[in-house]
């Protein structure tokens, strides 16, 4: 593979840093009235790349960035059939956390939170990670038991998580109705202080800018129409803009992952469901932590601008549609008002949907496949955005070294045949 930069440069990290934004540059641009220069430029499609990544969301962009930054592999193309960050990476509710249920999941998502912690500095781009704490409410004994279980697994791995009672919950979120007489009283919550929200577009743009700076080609409006495989190995991809020869193809898509897998002859145990979300008009800041209620199928956080961002469970049927439904808004409003009756006058501004690729155990499918050179980073269900950095880092290492890193080994496609499932359903934000 083509190493674009010297090992010395990579070790020092010098060449991997894109230019910094500064207060001085901001002032200069403000005074001059000049438009900001483009942060990356369209490049011609090369006939050959060392690595072709399908999917220009956070997973694809992060994998491209870490291939170039950590391994010096920059003859890389990221292909997206639409625009960068236009799929799940721009449609999620931007919640970050590592309070999972299995040791494998906790270890994996904790690495992602660590990378997110330093991402603004790494990328030279403010991703606005706001660690405001994350509360998963328990409304019955069974949920409380799962929260205690999660807290213990978390603590064993050094993750800050604990079960707290209604009085403490009320202190953290005074507008929650913690009274006993409601339909689903709040009995306790899993409190995870390192959880929070990030600006998802900034994460996508930051990775795109940094990857392009290192020589990665980002091709929007470039749809993969076929994958050429012969003798059990990948030879290239066909696109609406022409063919590309490559020994390595990485499927980083969400929503379309099974269709791309089929092109390479790799079947994936995935079903695709829409997940809807909505945002309100801005209101005065009153909600600090992220609040999740599995029983009421709702999660909510307040943005720095004051809007409330809501999400729910995936729709109850498989589909590739990203149109919103009235059923969703009605259900959401009813459930939100049970949690916070004071919101009854707040108006919804917008709703939208993304596509979630659900696996049988709610864990992703990552690593090499039986087709040599065809890698997968798919099956993210409702957890994809928070895993972007660690997935990119691990997939880059997997491709560059030819070995599966320990942190993603539990998520191999072969686990379904072997019966080694990594059950993360109990860590889902809401019941799906
Ligand atoms: O797992 O935190 C989560 C989540 C929030 C929205 C969808 N998934």
């Amino acid at each position: 593979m083509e190493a674009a930069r010297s090992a010395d440069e990579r070790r020092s990290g010098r060449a991997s840093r894109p230019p910094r934004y500064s207060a001085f540059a901001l002032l200069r641009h403000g005074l001059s009235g000049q438009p900001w220069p483009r942060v990356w430029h369209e490049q011609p499609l090369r006939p050959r790349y060392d690595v072709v990544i399908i999917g220009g969301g956070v997973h694809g962009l992060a994998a491209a960035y870490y291939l170039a930054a950590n391994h010096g592999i920059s003859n890389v193309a990221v292909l997206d059939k639409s625009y960068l960050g236009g799929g799940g990476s721009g449609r999620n509710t931007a919640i970050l956390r590592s309070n999972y249920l299995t040791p494998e999941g906790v270890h994996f998502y904790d690495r992602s939170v660590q990378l997110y912690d330093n991402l603004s500095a790494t990328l030279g781009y403010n991703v606005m990670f706001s660690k405001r704490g994350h509360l998963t409410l328990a409304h019955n004994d069974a949920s409380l038991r799962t929260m205690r279980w999660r807290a213990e697994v978390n603590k064993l791995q050094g993750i800050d998580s604990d079960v707290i009672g209604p009085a403490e919950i009320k202190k953290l979120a005074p507008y929650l109705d913690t009274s006993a007489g409601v339909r689903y009283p709040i009995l306790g919550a899993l409190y995870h202080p390192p959880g929070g929200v990030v600006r998802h577009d900034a994460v996508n743009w930051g990775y795109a800018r940094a990857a392009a700076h290192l020589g990665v080609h980002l091709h929007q409006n470039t749809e993969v129409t076929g994958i050429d495989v012969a003798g059990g190995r990948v030879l290239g991809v066909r696109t609406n803009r022409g063919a590309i020869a490559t020994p390595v193809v990485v499927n980083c898509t969400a929503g379309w992952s099974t269709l791309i897998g089929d092109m390479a002859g790799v079947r994936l145990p995935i079903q695709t469901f829409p997940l809807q979300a909505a945002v309100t008009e801005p209101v005065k800041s009153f909600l600090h932590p992220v609040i999740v209620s599995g029983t009421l199928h709702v999660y909510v956080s307040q943005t720095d601008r004051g809007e409330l961002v809501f999400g729910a469970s995936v729709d109850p049927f498989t589909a590739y549609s990203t149109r919103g439904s009235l059923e969703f808004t009605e259900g959401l409003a009813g459930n939100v008002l049970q949690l916070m009756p004071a919101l009854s006058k707040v108006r919804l501004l917008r709703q939208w949907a993304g596509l979630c690729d659900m696996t049988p155990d709610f864990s992703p499918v990552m690593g090499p496949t039986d087709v040599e050179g065809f890698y997968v980073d798919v099956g993210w269900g409702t957890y994809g955005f928070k895993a972007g950095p660690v997935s990119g880092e691990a997939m880059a290492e997997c491709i560059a070294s030819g070995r599966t890193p320990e942190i993603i080994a539990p998520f191999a496609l072969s686990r379904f045949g072997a019966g080694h499932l990594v059950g993360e359903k109990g860590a889902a934000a809401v019941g799906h």
Side-chain angles (χ1 to χ4, degrees), residues 92-97 99-100 134 275 290 292 299 311-312 356 381-384 386 427-430 432:
N92 61 84
T93 44
I95 296 170
L96 304 185
R97 64 186 176 96
N99 57 356
Y100 279 74
H134 184 282
L275 177 60
V290 178
V292 177
Y299 34 91
C356 293
T382 60
Y383 301 148
K386 51 183 75 44
V430 297
H432 297 291

Side-chain angles (χ1 to χ4, degrees), residues 216-265:
V216 168
H217 282 190
L218 307 173
H219 297 295
Q220 305 185 102
N221 300 311
T222 306
E223 181 167 3
V224 172
T225 53
I227 299 177
D228 294 324
V229 175
R233 59 160 307 121
V234 160
L235 299 179
V237 299
R238 276 167 279 135
T239 79
N240 59 340
R241 296 175 55 205
I244 304 170
T246 182
V248 176
V249 173
V250 194
N251 181 359
C252 283
T253 58
W256 325 109
S257 61
T258 52
L259 307 181
I260 298 293
D262 284 350
M263 289 180 191

Side-chain angles (χ1 to χ4, degrees), residues 58-346:
V58 64
H59 284 254
L61 294 168
Y65 169 72
Y66 291 113
L67 273 168
N70 292 358
H71 305 283
I73 300 169
S74 57
N75 184 27
V76 175
V78 179
L79 312 182
D80 199 285
K81 69 176 186 163
S82 178
Y83 59 94
L84 298 183
S89 294
R91 293 163 184 272
N92 61 84
T93 44
I95 296 170
L96 304 185
R97 64 186 176 96
S98 59
N99 57 356
Y100 279 74
L101 181 62
T102 67
E104 296 89 342
V106 175
H107 181 44
F108 178 76
Y109 289 97
D110 179 45
R111 175 67 189 151
S112 220
V113 171
Q114 287 172 20
L115 288 167
Y116 268 120
D117 270 338
N118 290 318
L119 203 57
S120 296
T122 307
L123 302 178
Y125 203 91
N126 188 357
V127 300
M128 295 178 239
F129 181 10
S130 166
K131 285 195 169 200
R132 47 189 57 197
H134 184 282
L135 282 169
T136 314
L137 305 177
H139 301 269
N140 53 51
D141 289 346
S143 307
L144 208 48
R145 198 166 51 239
T146 306
M147 297 313 150
R148 291 208 179 97
W149 180 358
R150 280 169 67 181
E152 294 313 309
V153 176
N154 290 183
K155 281 187 256 180
L156 279 172
Q157 304 234 15
I159 307 300
D160 191 0
S161 268
D162 217 340
V163 173
I164 60 173
E168 259 185 282
I169 297 172
K170 190 77 180 170
K171 274 194 221 143
L172 292 165
Y175 283 82
L176 273 183
D177 185 352
T178 50
S179 60
V182 294
R183 187 156 170 240
Y184 296 113
I186 296 170
L187 304 184
L190 180 66
Y191 179 42
H192 178 49
V197 288
V198 71
R199 175 81 199 277
H200 55 192
D201 293 326
V203 175
N204 298 324
W205 297 333
Y207 272 123
R209 170 177 175 263
H213 172 74
L214 295 176
V216 168
H217 282 190
L218 307 173
H219 297 295
Q220 305 185 102
N221 300 311
T222 306
E223 181 167 3
V224 172
T225 53
I227 299 177
D228 294 324
V229 175
R233 59 160 307 121
V234 160
L235 299 179
V237 299
R238 276 167 279 135
T239 79
N240 59 340
R241 296 175 55 205
I244 304 170
T246 182
V248 176
V249 173
V250 194
N251 181 359
C252 283
T253 58
W256 325 109
S257 61
T258 52
L259 307 181
I260 298 293
D262 284 350
M263 289 180 191
V266 173
R267 289 198 66 205
L268 297 167
I270 284 173
Q271 285 189 307
T272 300
F273 293 80
L275 177 60
Q276 301 192 47
V279 65
T280 67
E281 62 186 340
V283 291
K284 197 169 167 183
S285 171
F286 72 95
L287 181 64
H288 191 60
V290 178
I291 308 282
V292 177
S293 166
T295 304
L296 289 166
H297 300 278
V298 65
Y299 34 91
V300 54
S301 66
Q302 187 168 26
T303 70
D304 295 334
R305 288 188 301 245
E307 303 117 329
L308 295 166
V309 180
F310 293 112
S313 327
V314 295
D315 285 353
F317 41 80
T318 56
Y320 290 112
S321 167
T322 51
R323 288 191 72 94
S325 70
L326 183 59
E327 190 188 19
F328 161 76
T329 17
E330 284 178 344
L332 180 75
N335 289 338
V336 167
L337 292 182
Q338 290 195 49
L339 284 180
M340 288 189 256
L343 298 187
S344 64
K345 296 279 188 297
V346 178

